[in-house]
Each structure stands twice: as structure tokens, then as C-alpha cells.
Amino acid sequence: MLLSTKGDYGVRAMIDLAKHAGEGPVQRSEIARRRQIPESYLDHLLAQLRRAGFVRSTRGPSGGHELAKPASDINLLSLLEALEGSLAPLGCLEPAVGEEATESICGQNWVWQEIYDEMRARLAAVSLAELVEHEREHERQAVISYNI
Amino acid sequence: MLLSTKGDYGVRAMIDLAKHAGEGPVQRSEIARRRQIPESYLDHLLAQLRRAGFVRSTRGPSGGHELAKPASDINLLSLLEALEGSLAPLGCLEPAVGEEATESICGQNWVWQEIYDEMRARLAAVSLAELVEHEREHERQAVISYNI
DNA sequence: CGATACCTGAGTAAAACACTCAACAACAGC
DNA sequence: GCTGTTGTTGAGTGTTTTACTCAGGTATCG
Ligand code: FES
Ligand code: FES
């Protein structure tokens, strides 16, 4: 039932990029260090994100990665689905071509369908910009409590 | 992100037991056949369910399994948690003893916490009795459309 | 007693996960 | 146009989890 690290790491990386948007490309080594992601693994995630059209990469010295579109235009749902594939909690909810029929022997899928729909709606309503905003808010509070 | 078969199978089995409640013990071979669960695997699930106090088993000829309490007193959440352990979609949501701290580098946990809470609430609100009811309803409709 | 069930724990094949490695391609600046 | 720095790709690997199976054991009924 756990989200794999791919999704978690990928979103972390995207938050990092969004936070440094407009400051030119960010290197993967920077991201890996700040967000505690194995660098060689991050490579693959960035490749996936680039293929999905979320980031733009530039090679050569002073190259790196940056968002391909504004952070407010990227929502968590599309991001996670690009990284993880379907988020359905049960195989029978997203029927592969030429399937069905398990409904009659199980009878719990309607509950999960509801939960799944709610979840997708909630994720779709959260943009990357909001996540960054939340993080900044959190940082401010941390600084304040540190100063006391 | 998928629920494992354990949860699915376990709930199927419980629905089966609930459906035949009051008719004496049901054998695991019966359940396995009706619900399409490998019989030797079902053994373990029933043991787990028994240890968690959901079913009562009787040995010997004409033995079998039956619900240990009324179907309306069993909700999906407790059932699934007994079978699967925690349903949290992220490790950091249910902190093991002596952990924390990932929040600062990730910043998406608040979204997932919300989704997780909603999910648990929804699951807790569904009783085994309701699932059986739904299944019966579904069967009636199937019979009707078959007769037309 | 013996047939019929449930009960238990150990073992295992296969898949998914979480990476790593090595070779390659592009670009910037000298 | 070389050189070094960065991204790009695909193949490969150790570990863990999943989804079971098997071989015994134990309780109960008739
Ligand atoms: S088979 Fe889909 S919920 Fe059980
Ligand atoms: S570490 Fe918990 S959501 Fe990323």
C-alpha cells in the first residue's frame, strides 16, 4: 500500500526545482544533496520527468534542470502518475484491456472506487506552487521557533 | 501503491462468511472455491483473522469457520489493518518509534496526511454487513437482467 | 480409532524495488 | 577544436516483498 520512493523522490526534486525557478538551471548534484536522494537514481527520475514534459535540461558546463512550465500549472496528480503509473489501490479499478468480471466475487470495489476518486481529486487540486508555498511557510515557522 | 492480495482475499473471505452466517461453520474449501482464492493460502489468512478475533474456527468433521461477532460490528478499516498492517501510503505518516525529520526535506506529507485520514474515515464507516448488502443487491440486478 | 477438518511454521519461485555502473552525447569556454 | 563538465541511456545487480506451497501436527466427531 506504500507509494514507492520514485514518487516521493520525484516530487521532492520538483519542489526543489520550483523553489529555484528563475535562477537558471539547477544541477542534479545540488538537488540530490539538498533532498537526500541518491544521485545516480535521481538521474533516472529526471529523465522520466523530462520525457513527461515537466522539466527541461541543458547539458554542458553550468547546465542543469529547470521546470518546463510554471509551478502553478503542475499538479500533484499528473506528476505522481507520470512517476508511478496508475495510483489505483486495486488492479480491478483500472481494468486493463479485455478484463472485468472480478466484481461479482469480491464486492468491495465500490468502496475503493470512491476512495480512489476522492484521492485523485484531492491530488489534482494541489499544485507544485502550493507545495512550495507550504514549505516556505514551514521554514518561516522553524526559524521563528529557533530564534525564541 | 496497490493493496496486496492478502487484503483483497481476506475481505472476500469475510464477505463469504458473513453471507452464510447462522448456517453453521463454513469450510475453507467452500470459501476458496466460491471466491477464487488458493486454498492453502486462505489457510493463513483465516489464521490471521482468527488471531485478530474476527472469526471462530471449529475442527473435526463438519468443522469450519464462522464470524466471531455480528457483521454489522466489523468495519473494513479494522479488517484491512489486521490483514495488511498499516495502510499509510507513505512511511513518514506513521512514524516508527524514534523517527521524524523527513518532513523538512519533502514537504508533501500534509497532502497525504489529509488523503490518508479521509481514506481511513471512509473505510471505518463501511461495515461488513453493508458489503454483503451491496453484493446481494448486485446479484438481484444480475438476475433481473438475465431474465429479460 | 480414523477420517475430516483446521493449525503452524518453514521454505521458495517470481516479481518489484532501489539502486549502481559504464559508456556515451552535447555543450561552454578557453 | 580540444577539454572538461554536465546531462542521457541502457543494462545489470543485490535486496526485499509477495504470493504462494508443503509437510507435518492437532483437535474433533462419529
Ligand atoms: S477483486 Fe477488485 S476489489 Fe476485490
Ligand atoms: S518523506 Fe514523507 S512525504 Fe516525502
PDB file of all heavy atoms in Angstrom, chain D residues 7-19:
ATOM      1  P    DG D   7      23.571  17.971 -14.666  1.00  0.00           P
ATOM      2  OP1  DG D   7      22.506  18.745 -14.006  1.00  0.00           O
ATOM      3  OP2  DG D   7      24.284  16.906 -13.934  1.00  0.00           O
ATOM      4  O5'  DG D   7      23.005  17.371 -16.029  1.00  0.00           O
ATOM      5  C5'  DG D   7      22.353  18.240 -16.956  1.00  0.00           C
ATOM      6  C4'  DG D   7      22.163  17.522 -18.285  1.00  0.00           C
ATOM      7  O4'  DG D   7      23.414  16.884 -18.670  1.00  0.00           O
ATOM      8  C3'  DG D   7      21.112  16.406 -18.268  1.00  0.00           C
ATOM      9  O3'  DG D   7      20.416  16.374 -19.502  1.00  0.00           O
ATOM     10  C2'  DG D   7      21.957  15.159 -18.078  1.00  0.00           C
ATOM     11  C1'  DG D   7      23.200  15.508 -18.885  1.00  0.00           C
ATOM     12  N9   DG D   7      24.386  14.778 -18.441  1.00  0.00           N
ATOM     13  C8   DG D   7      25.063  14.942 -17.268  1.00  0.00           C
ATOM     14  N7   DG D   7      26.097  14.148 -17.159  1.00  0.00           N
ATOM     15  C5   DG D   7      26.087  13.407 -18.341  1.00  0.00           C
ATOM     16  C6   DG D   7      26.965  12.382 -18.789  1.00  0.00           C
ATOM     17  O6   DG D   7      27.945  11.915 -18.215  1.00  0.00           O
ATOM     18  N1   DG D   7      26.589  11.908 -20.039  1.00  0.00           N
ATOM     19  C2   DG D   7      25.511  12.352 -20.772  1.00  0.00           C
ATOM     20  N2   DG D   7      25.306  11.767 -21.946  1.00  0.00           N
ATOM     21  N3   DG D   7      24.697  13.311 -20.358  1.00  0.00           N
ATOM     22  C4   DG D   7      25.040  13.790 -19.140  1.00  0.00           C
ATOM     23  P    DT D   8      19.313  15.303 -19.842  1.00  0.00           P
ATOM     24  OP1  DT D   8      18.469  15.773 -20.952  1.00  0.00           O
ATOM     25  OP2  DT D   8      18.684  14.987 -18.533  1.00  0.00           O
ATOM     26  O5'  DT D   8      20.133  14.038 -20.315  1.00  0.00           O
ATOM     27  C5'  DT D   8      20.680  14.014 -21.652  1.00  0.00           C
ATOM     28  C4'  DT D   8      20.569  12.602 -22.228  1.00  0.00           C
ATOM     29  O4'  DT D   8      21.741  11.836 -21.829  1.00  0.00           O
ATOM     30  C3'  DT D   8      19.356  11.793 -21.777  1.00  0.00           C
ATOM     31  O3'  DT D   8      18.785  11.190 -22.929  1.00  0.00           O
ATOM     32  C2'  DT D   8      19.923  10.791 -20.774  1.00  0.00           C
ATOM     33  C1'  DT D   8      21.357  10.613 -21.226  1.00  0.00           C
ATOM     34  N1   DT D   8      22.369  10.380 -20.158  1.00  0.00           N
ATOM     35  C2   DT D   8      23.354   9.440 -20.376  1.00  0.00           C
ATOM     36  O2   DT D   8      23.428   8.783 -21.402  1.00  0.00           O
ATOM     37  N3   DT D   8      24.267   9.306 -19.358  1.00  0.00           N
ATOM     38  C4   DT D   8      24.288   9.986 -18.158  1.00  0.00           C
ATOM     39  O4   DT D   8      25.154   9.775 -17.327  1.00  0.00           O
ATOM     40  C5   DT D   8      23.218  10.938 -17.990  1.00  0.00           C
ATOM     41  C7   DT D   8      23.136  11.728 -16.728  1.00  0.00           C
ATOM     42  C6   DT D   8      22.314  11.093 -18.992  1.00  0.00           C
ATOM     43  P    DT D   9      17.569  10.233 -22.871  1.00  0.00           P
ATOM     44  OP1  DT D   9      16.866  10.317 -24.170  1.00  0.00           O
ATOM     45  OP2  DT D   9      16.849  10.494 -21.615  1.00  0.00           O
ATOM     46  O5'  DT D   9      18.245   8.799 -22.790  1.00  0.00           O
ATOM     47  C5'  DT D   9      19.264   8.448 -23.732  1.00  0.00           C
ATOM     48  C4'  DT D   9      19.784   7.047 -23.463  1.00  0.00           C
ATOM     49  O4'  DT D   9      20.809   7.104 -22.451  1.00  0.00           O
ATOM     50  C3'  DT D   9      18.735   6.069 -22.941  1.00  0.00           C
ATOM     51  O3'  DT D   9      18.437   5.151 -23.989  1.00  0.00           O
ATOM     52  C2'  DT D   9      19.390   5.367 -21.735  1.00  0.00           C
ATOM     53  C1'  DT D   9      20.819   5.881 -21.741  1.00  0.00           C
ATOM     54  N1   DT D   9      21.368   6.196 -20.397  1.00  0.00           N
ATOM     55  C2   DT D   9      22.579   5.654 -20.024  1.00  0.00           C
ATOM     56  O2   DT D   9      23.220   4.916 -20.730  1.00  0.00           O
ATOM     57  N3   DT D   9      23.011   6.029 -18.773  1.00  0.00           N
ATOM     58  C4   DT D   9      22.349   6.857 -17.882  1.00  0.00           C
ATOM     59  O4   DT D   9      22.833   7.120 -16.784  1.00  0.00           O
ATOM     60  C5   DT D   9      21.088   7.384 -18.338  1.00  0.00           C
ATOM     61  C7   DT D   9      20.294   8.292 -17.455  1.00  0.00           C
ATOM     62  C6   DT D   9      20.660   7.037 -19.558  1.00  0.00           C
ATOM     63  P    DG D  10      17.344   4.007 -23.755  1.00  0.00           P
ATOM     64  OP1  DG D  10      16.725   3.716 -25.072  1.00  0.00           O
ATOM     65  OP2  DG D  10      16.492   4.352 -22.603  1.00  0.00           O
ATOM     66  O5'  DG D  10      18.264   2.777 -23.350  1.00  0.00           O
ATOM     67  C5'  DG D  10      19.509   2.568 -24.012  1.00  0.00           C
ATOM     68  C4'  DG D  10      20.233   1.432 -23.332  1.00  0.00           C
ATOM     69  O4'  DG D  10      20.902   1.927 -22.140  1.00  0.00           O
ATOM     70  C3'  DG D  10      19.311   0.308 -22.842  1.00  0.00           C
ATOM     71  O3'  DG D  10      19.985  -0.937 -23.010  1.00  0.00           O
ATOM     72  C2'  DG D  10      19.124   0.622 -21.370  1.00  0.00           C
ATOM     73  C1'  DG D  10      20.503   1.165 -21.019  1.00  0.00           C
ATOM     74  N9   DG D  10      20.504   2.028 -19.843  1.00  0.00           N
ATOM     75  C8   DG D  10      19.513   2.889 -19.427  1.00  0.00           C
ATOM     76  N7   DG D  10      19.817   3.518 -18.327  1.00  0.00           N
ATOM     77  C5   DG D  10      21.072   3.041 -17.991  1.00  0.00           C
ATOM     78  C6   DG D  10      21.907   3.348 -16.895  1.00  0.00           C
ATOM     79  O6   DG D  10      21.699   4.140 -15.983  1.00  0.00           O
ATOM     80  N1   DG D  10      23.114   2.636 -16.940  1.00  0.00           N
ATOM     81  C2   DG D  10      23.450   1.729 -17.917  1.00  0.00           C
ATOM     82  N2   DG D  10      24.632   1.138 -17.786  1.00  0.00           N
ATOM     83  N3   DG D  10      22.669   1.438 -18.946  1.00  0.00           N
ATOM     84  C4   DG D  10      21.510   2.121 -18.923  1.00  0.00           C
ATOM     85  P    DA D  11      19.228  -2.319 -22.724  1.00  0.00           P
ATOM     86  OP1  DA D  11      18.593  -2.754 -23.981  1.00  0.00           O
ATOM     87  OP2  DA D  11      18.381  -2.174 -21.529  1.00  0.00           O
ATOM     88  O5'  DA D  11      20.430  -3.299 -22.378  1.00  0.00           O
ATOM     89  C5'  DA D  11      21.791  -2.815 -22.422  1.00  0.00           C
ATOM     90  C4'  DA D  11      22.510  -3.183 -21.147  1.00  0.00           C
ATOM     91  O4'  DA D  11      22.318  -2.141 -20.150  1.00  0.00           O
ATOM     92  C3'  DA D  11      22.030  -4.491 -20.495  1.00  0.00           C
ATOM     93  O3'  DA D  11      23.156  -5.266 -20.147  1.00  0.00           O
ATOM     94  C2'  DA D  11      21.245  -4.012 -19.284  1.00  0.00           C
ATOM     95  C1'  DA D  11      21.996  -2.749 -18.910  1.00  0.00           C
ATOM     96  N9   DA D  11      21.234  -1.779 -18.123  1.00  0.00           N
ATOM     97  C8   DA D  11      19.987  -1.287 -18.401  1.00  0.00           C
ATOM     98  N7   DA D  11      19.553  -0.425 -17.507  1.00  0.00           N
ATOM     99  C5   DA D  11      20.586  -0.354 -16.583  1.00  0.00           C
ATOM    100  C6   DA D  11      20.744   0.383 -15.393  1.00  0.00           C
ATOM    101  N6   DA D  11      19.817   1.226 -14.925  1.00  0.00           N
ATOM    102  N1   DA D  11      21.890   0.229 -14.702  1.00  0.00           N
ATOM    103  C2   DA D  11      22.815  -0.616 -15.181  1.00  0.00           C
ATOM    104  N3   DA D  11      22.788  -1.363 -16.287  1.00  0.00           N
ATOM    105  C4   DA D  11      21.628  -1.180 -16.953  1.00  0.00           C
ATOM    106  P    DG D  12      23.029  -6.726 -19.578  1.00  0.00           P
ATOM    107  OP1  DG D  12      24.120  -7.549 -20.155  1.00  0.00           O
ATOM    108  OP2  DG D  12      21.612  -7.143 -19.718  1.00  0.00           O
ATOM    109  O5'  DG D  12      23.350  -6.509 -18.035  1.00  0.00           O
ATOM    110  C5'  DG D  12      24.585  -5.887 -17.642  1.00  0.00           C
ATOM    111  C4'  DG D  12      24.590  -5.684 -16.136  1.00  0.00           C
ATOM    112  O4'  DG D  12      23.682  -4.605 -15.786  1.00  0.00           O
ATOM    113  C3'  DG D  12      24.118  -6.911 -15.330  1.00  0.00           C
ATOM    114  O3'  DG D  12      24.996  -7.091 -14.231  1.00  0.00           O
ATOM    115  C2'  DG D  12      22.727  -6.504 -14.872  1.00  0.00           C
ATOM    116  C1'  DG D  12      22.909  -5.006 -14.678  1.00  0.00           C
ATOM    117  N9   DG D  12      21.667  -4.234 -14.658  1.00  0.00           N
ATOM    118  C8   DG D  12      20.658  -4.251 -15.587  1.00  0.00           C
ATOM    119  N7   DG D  12      19.675  -3.444 -15.288  1.00  0.00           N
ATOM    120  C5   DG D  12      20.053  -2.865 -14.084  1.00  0.00           C
ATOM    121  C6   DG D  12      19.395  -1.905 -13.258  1.00  0.00           C
ATOM    122  O6   DG D  12      18.301  -1.367 -13.451  1.00  0.00           O
ATOM    123  N1   DG D  12      20.139  -1.589 -12.125  1.00  0.00           N
ATOM    124  C2   DG D  12      21.357  -2.129 -11.825  1.00  0.00           C
ATOM    125  N2   DG D  12      21.914  -1.716 -10.697  1.00  0.00           N
ATOM    126  N3   DG D  12      21.987  -3.019 -12.577  1.00  0.00           N
ATOM    127  C4   DG D  12      21.283  -3.337 -13.686  1.00  0.00           C
ATOM    128  P    DT D  13      24.991  -8.517 -13.448  1.00  0.00           P
ATOM    129  OP1  DT D  13      26.202  -9.238 -13.849  1.00  0.00           O
ATOM    130  OP2  DT D  13      23.655  -9.150 -13.602  1.00  0.00           O
ATOM    131  O5'  DT D  13      25.154  -8.072 -11.927  1.00  0.00           O
ATOM    132  C5'  DT D  13      25.292  -6.706 -11.571  1.00  0.00           C
ATOM    133  C4'  DT D  13      24.740  -6.501 -10.165  1.00  0.00           C
ATOM    134  O4'  DT D  13      23.538  -5.666 -10.247  1.00  0.00           O
ATOM    135  C3'  DT D  13      24.298  -7.775  -9.440  1.00  0.00           C
ATOM    136  O3'  DT D  13      24.686  -7.668  -8.083  1.00  0.00           O
ATOM    137  C2'  DT D  13      22.789  -7.772  -9.608  1.00  0.00           C
ATOM    138  C1'  DT D  13      22.514  -6.281  -9.520  1.00  0.00           C
ATOM    139  N1   DT D  13      21.222  -5.842 -10.116  1.00  0.00           N
ATOM    140  C2   DT D  13      20.493  -4.873  -9.446  1.00  0.00           C
ATOM    141  O2   DT D  13      20.855  -4.380  -8.399  1.00  0.00           O
ATOM    142  N3   DT D  13      19.326  -4.512 -10.056  1.00  0.00           N
ATOM    143  C4   DT D  13      18.812  -5.007 -11.252  1.00  0.00           C
ATOM    144  O4   DT D  13      17.745  -4.599 -11.688  1.00  0.00           O
ATOM    145  C5   DT D  13      19.625  -6.014 -11.889  1.00  0.00           C
ATOM    146  C7   DT D  13      19.160  -6.612 -13.184  1.00  0.00           C
ATOM    147  C6   DT D  13      20.783  -6.381 -11.295  1.00  0.00           C
ATOM    148  P    DG D  14      25.095  -8.998  -7.298  1.00  0.00           P
ATOM    149  OP1  DG D  14      26.574  -9.063  -7.285  1.00  0.00           O
ATOM    150  OP2  DG D  14      24.301 -10.148  -7.813  1.00  0.00           O
ATOM    151  O5'  DG D  14      24.598  -8.676  -5.815  1.00  0.00           O
ATOM    152  C5'  DG D  14      25.014  -7.464  -5.183  1.00  0.00           C
ATOM    153  C4'  DG D  14      23.883  -6.932  -4.314  1.00  0.00           C
ATOM    154  O4'  DG D  14      22.771  -6.535  -5.154  1.00  0.00           O
ATOM    155  C3'  DG D  14      23.343  -7.961  -3.314  1.00  0.00           C
ATOM    156  O3'  DG D  14      23.273  -7.330  -2.036  1.00  0.00           O
ATOM    157  C2'  DG D  14      21.952  -8.318  -3.868  1.00  0.00           C
ATOM    158  C1'  DG D  14      21.562  -7.051  -4.630  1.00  0.00           C
ATOM    159  N9   DG D  14      20.655  -7.254  -5.768  1.00  0.00           N
ATOM    160  C8   DG D  14      20.798  -8.125  -6.817  1.00  0.00           C
ATOM    161  N7   DG D  14      19.830  -8.059  -7.697  1.00  0.00           N
ATOM    162  C5   DG D  14      18.994  -7.076  -7.193  1.00  0.00           C
ATOM    163  C6   DG D  14      17.773  -6.553  -7.708  1.00  0.00           C
ATOM    164  O6   DG D  14      17.167  -6.853  -8.748  1.00  0.00           O
ATOM    165  N1   DG D  14      17.250  -5.565  -6.881  1.00  0.00           N
ATOM    166  C2   DG D  14      17.817  -5.136  -5.714  1.00  0.00           C
ATOM    167  N2   DG D  14      17.176  -4.179  -5.053  1.00  0.00           N
ATOM    168  N3   DG D  14      18.951  -5.603  -5.221  1.00  0.00           N
ATOM    169  C4   DG D  14      19.482  -6.569  -6.006  1.00  0.00           C
ATOM    170  P    DT D  15      22.733  -8.192  -0.802  1.00  0.00           P
ATOM    171  OP1  DT D  15      23.529  -7.781   0.372  1.00  0.00           O
ATOM    172  OP2  DT D  15      22.652  -9.621  -1.190  1.00  0.00           O
ATOM    173  O5'  DT D  15      21.257  -7.631  -0.633  1.00  0.00           O
ATOM    174  C5'  DT D  15      21.018  -6.224  -0.757  1.00  0.00           C
ATOM    175  C4'  DT D  15      19.548  -5.943  -0.578  1.00  0.00           C
ATOM    176  O4'  DT D  15      18.837  -6.181  -1.822  1.00  0.00           O
ATOM    177  C3'  DT D  15      18.859  -6.817   0.488  1.00  0.00           C
ATOM    178  O3'  DT D  15      18.173  -5.939   1.362  1.00  0.00           O
ATOM    179  C2'  DT D  15      17.934  -7.716  -0.336  1.00  0.00           C
ATOM    180  C1'  DT D  15      17.635  -6.868  -1.553  1.00  0.00           C
ATOM    181  N1   DT D  15      17.254  -7.580  -2.807  1.00  0.00           N
ATOM    182  C2   DT D  15      16.096  -7.215  -3.478  1.00  0.00           C
ATOM    183  O2   DT D  15      15.353  -6.347  -3.085  1.00  0.00           O
ATOM    184  N3   DT D  15      15.839  -7.902  -4.641  1.00  0.00           N
ATOM    185  C4   DT D  15      16.615  -8.911  -5.195  1.00  0.00           C
ATOM    186  O4   DT D  15      16.287  -9.441  -6.239  1.00  0.00           O
ATOM    187  C5   DT D  15      17.805  -9.255  -4.443  1.00  0.00           C
ATOM    188  C7   DT D  15      18.698 -10.333  -4.955  1.00  0.00           C
ATOM    189  C6   DT D  15      18.080  -8.580  -3.296  1.00  0.00           C
ATOM    190  P    DT D  16      17.498  -6.506   2.677  1.00  0.00           P
ATOM    191  OP1  DT D  16      17.710  -5.517   3.764  1.00  0.00           O
ATOM    192  OP2  DT D  16      17.914  -7.917   2.855  1.00  0.00           O
ATOM    193  O5'  DT D  16      15.970  -6.457   2.253  1.00  0.00           O
ATOM    194  C5'  DT D  16      15.456  -5.250   1.671  1.00  0.00           C
ATOM    195  C4'  DT D  16      14.094  -5.508   1.091  1.00  0.00           C
ATOM    196  O4'  DT D  16      14.176  -6.315  -0.104  1.00  0.00           O
ATOM    197  C3'  DT D  16      13.146  -6.255   2.034  1.00  0.00           C
ATOM    198  O3'  DT D  16      12.039  -5.397   2.220  1.00  0.00           O
ATOM    199  C2'  DT D  16      12.811  -7.542   1.293  1.00  0.00           C
ATOM    200  C1'  DT D  16      13.057  -7.163  -0.158  1.00  0.00           C
ATOM    201  N1   DT D  16      13.397  -8.267  -1.108  1.00  0.00           N
ATOM    202  C2   DT D  16      12.646  -8.416  -2.263  1.00  0.00           C
ATOM    203  O2   DT D  16      11.705  -7.708  -2.540  1.00  0.00           O
ATOM    204  N3   DT D  16      13.061  -9.431  -3.095  1.00  0.00           N
ATOM    205  C4   DT D  16      14.119 -10.297  -2.883  1.00  0.00           C
ATOM    206  O4   DT D  16      14.387 -11.158  -3.706  1.00  0.00           O
ATOM    207  C5   DT D  16      14.847 -10.100  -1.653  1.00  0.00           C
ATOM    208  C7   DT D  16      16.005 -10.981  -1.341  1.00  0.00           C
ATOM    209  C6   DT D  16      14.462  -9.094  -0.839  1.00  0.00           C
ATOM    210  P    DT D  17      10.872  -5.779   3.267  1.00  0.00           P
ATOM    211  OP1  DT D  17      10.417  -4.520   3.901  1.00  0.00           O
ATOM    212  OP2  DT D  17      11.328  -6.910   4.103  1.00  0.00           O
ATOM    213  O5'  DT D  17       9.726  -6.278   2.277  1.00  0.00           O
ATOM    214  C5'  DT D  17       9.340  -5.403   1.213  1.00  0.00           C
ATOM    215  C4'  DT D  17       8.441  -6.134   0.241  1.00  0.00           C
ATOM    216  O4'  DT D  17       9.158  -7.160  -0.462  1.00  0.00           O
ATOM    217  C3'  DT D  17       7.239  -6.822   0.900  1.00  0.00           C
ATOM    218  O3'  DT D  17       6.108  -6.331   0.241  1.00  0.00           O
ATOM    219  C2'  DT D  17       7.500  -8.317   0.655  1.00  0.00           C
ATOM    220  C1'  DT D  17       8.327  -8.291  -0.624  1.00  0.00           C
ATOM    221  N1   DT D  17       9.222  -9.447  -0.898  1.00  0.00           N
ATOM    222  C2   DT D  17       9.129 -10.096  -2.125  1.00  0.00           C
ATOM    223  O2   DT D  17       8.323  -9.781  -2.979  1.00  0.00           O
ATOM    224  N3   DT D  17      10.024 -11.126  -2.306  1.00  0.00           N
ATOM    225  C4   DT D  17      10.971 -11.565  -1.404  1.00  0.00           C
ATOM    226  O4   DT D  17      11.714 -12.501  -1.688  1.00  0.00           O
ATOM    227  C5   DT D  17      11.015 -10.849  -0.158  1.00  0.00           C
ATOM    228  C7   DT D  17      12.013 -11.241   0.880  1.00  0.00           C
ATOM    229  C6   DT D  17      10.158  -9.830   0.034  1.00  0.00           C
ATOM    230  P    DT D  18       4.624  -6.727   0.706  1.00  0.00           P
ATOM    231  OP1  DT D  18       3.792  -5.547   0.484  1.00  0.00           O
ATOM    232  OP2  DT D  18       4.664  -7.349   2.043  1.00  0.00           O
ATOM    233  O5'  DT D  18       4.228  -7.823  -0.368  1.00  0.00           O
ATOM    234  C5'  DT D  18       4.551  -7.571  -1.733  1.00  0.00           C
ATOM    235  C4'  DT D  18       4.218  -8.761  -2.612  1.00  0.00           C
ATOM    236  O4'  DT D  18       5.268  -9.744  -2.567  1.00  0.00           O
ATOM    237  C3'  DT D  18       2.930  -9.492  -2.272  1.00  0.00           C
ATOM    238  O3'  DT D  18       2.198  -9.564  -3.460  1.00  0.00           O
ATOM    239  C2'  DT D  18       3.405 -10.869  -1.767  1.00  0.00           C
ATOM    240  C1'  DT D  18       4.715 -11.037  -2.494  1.00  0.00           C
ATOM    241  N1   DT D  18       5.763 -11.865  -1.865  1.00  0.00           N
ATOM    242  C2   DT D  18       6.391 -12.832  -2.632  1.00  0.00           C
ATOM    243  O2   DT D  18       6.079 -13.032  -3.797  1.00  0.00           O
ATOM    244  N3   DT D  18       7.377 -13.530  -1.989  1.00  0.00           N
ATOM    245  C4   DT D  18       7.801 -13.373  -0.690  1.00  0.00           C
ATOM    246  O4   DT D  18       8.701 -14.065  -0.232  1.00  0.00           O
ATOM    247  C5   DT D  18       7.114 -12.349   0.047  1.00  0.00           C
ATOM    248  C7   DT D  18       7.513 -12.098   1.455  1.00  0.00           C
ATOM    249  C6   DT D  18       6.141 -11.650  -0.561  1.00  0.00           C
ATOM    250  P    DA D  19       0.693 -10.049  -3.439  1.00  0.00           P
ATOM    251  OP1  DA D  19       0.038  -9.452  -4.612  1.00  0.00           O
ATOM    252  OP2  DA D  19       0.130  -9.827  -2.085  1.00  0.00           O
ATOM    253  O5'  DA D  19       0.811 -11.609  -3.703  1.00  0.00           O
ATOM    254  C5'  DA D  19       1.356 -12.073  -4.929  1.00  0.00           C
ATOM    255  C4'  DA D  19       1.536 -13.563  -4.850  1.00  0.00           C
ATOM    256  O4'  DA D  19       2.617 -13.869  -3.946  1.00  0.00           O
ATOM    257  C3'  DA D  19       0.316 -14.324  -4.309  1.00  0.00           C
ATOM    258  O3'  DA D  19       0.124 -15.505  -5.085  1.00  0.00           O
ATOM    259  C2'  DA D  19       0.727 -14.661  -2.898  1.00  0.00           C
ATOM    260  C1'  DA D  19       2.205 -14.921  -3.103  1.00  0.00           C
ATOM    261  N9   DA D  19       3.036 -14.924  -1.909  1.00  0.00           N
ATOM    262  C8   DA D  19       2.861 -14.206  -0.760  1.00  0.00           C
ATOM    263  N7   DA D  19       3.793 -14.429   0.150  1.00  0.00           N
ATOM    264  C5   DA D  19       4.631 -15.366  -0.448  1.00  0.00           C
ATOM    265  C6   DA D  19       5.800 -16.014  -0.024  1.00  0.00           C
ATOM    266  N6   DA D  19       6.355 -15.806   1.180  1.00  0.00           N
ATOM    267  N1   DA D  19       6.386 -16.876  -0.879  1.00  0.00           N
ATOM    268  C2   DA D  19       5.826 -17.084  -2.078  1.00  0.00           C
ATOM    269  N3   DA D  19       4.724 -16.534  -2.591  1.00  0.00           N
ATOM    270  C4   DA D  19       4.180 -15.667  -1.719  1.00  0.00           C
TER     271       DA D  19
END
